[in-house]
Amino acid sequence: MELSFDHLVHIVNRPEETIEDFATIGLKANLGGRHEFWGTYNALSYFGLSYIEFLGIFDYTIASSIKDNDLIIQAHQWLPEKEGFARIALRTNDIDEVTKRLNQLKIKTIGPIKGKRKREDGKLLQWEMLFISDHVENLPTPFIIQWHEAG
């Protein structure tokens, strides 16, 4: 079981505006796509295999109905009034083992839950996310992500 830095989530009202903002300082960001079942969408800025995800909401009704994805819940609580860095994601190659280890340590978890989105080029991206439900006040815990090959 490995864990490494995957990405930083920055919650914003309009991810497409971050593309323009980043361009003014010489950095590149692109639209990532829509998470249809969560009511969210993103723009991404890559630095090697790691990246910054600028996460926004396109459908507040869908986002408000989400009960198992702590990141979507956080975005819905923040937007449209608050934007900012939300949390980091740690990449693993064995999310089931991470879940087992955390549970053995009596750390409460939510998931793994499945995620997917289609890129602009039509490629399907799929992943699983594991959230730690024990929060330190004002310090959201990282979440764990495992990427899967396109299906």
Side-chain angles (χ1 to χ4, degrees), residues 1 5 13 19 32 46 52 73 84-85 96-97 113 129 133-134 136:
M1 171 188 73
F5 178 78
N13 281 299
I19 296 168
Y46 283 91
I52 299 173
I73 294 167
F85 292 118
D96 293 328
E97 182 63 24
I113 62 170
M129 302 165 72
S133 61
D134 295 332
V136 176

Side-chain angles (χ1 to χ4, degrees), residues 66-149:
I66 303 304
K67 305 296 182 219
D68 64 347
N69 186 320
D70 208 30
L71 187 58
I72 307 308
I73 294 167
Q74 183 179 7
H76 186 263
Q77 289 171 343
W78 282 22
L79 294 176
E81 293 83 18
K82 178 181 176 181
E83 295 181 307
F85 292 118
R87 59 182 68 198
I88 64 169
L90 300 175
R91 179 184 314 134
T92 186
N93 61 347
D94 192 344
I95 202 164
D96 293 328
E97 182 63 24
V98 173
T99 305
K100 179 180 169 185
R101 296 274 302 273
L102 289 172
N103 291 334
Q104 287 172 342
L105 294 169
K106 306 288 187 229
I107 297 172
K108 295 177 185 171
T109 59
I110 301 168
I113 62 170
K114 295 182 185 308
K116 66 180 177 180
R117 72 172 172 82
K118 274 197 179 173
R119 294 189 334 190
E120 293 291 321
D121 65 6
K123 182 178 179 182
L124 180 64
L125 299 178
Q126 297 179 79
W127 62 90
E128 290 181 81
M129 302 165 72
L130 177 69
F131 293 97
I132 297 169
S133 61
D134 295 332
H135 288 277
V136 176
E137 188 171 330
N138 296 320
L139 182 64
T141 53
F143 64 93
I144 312 301
I145 191 165
Q146 181 174 346
W147 294 98
H148 299 287
E149 292 297 315

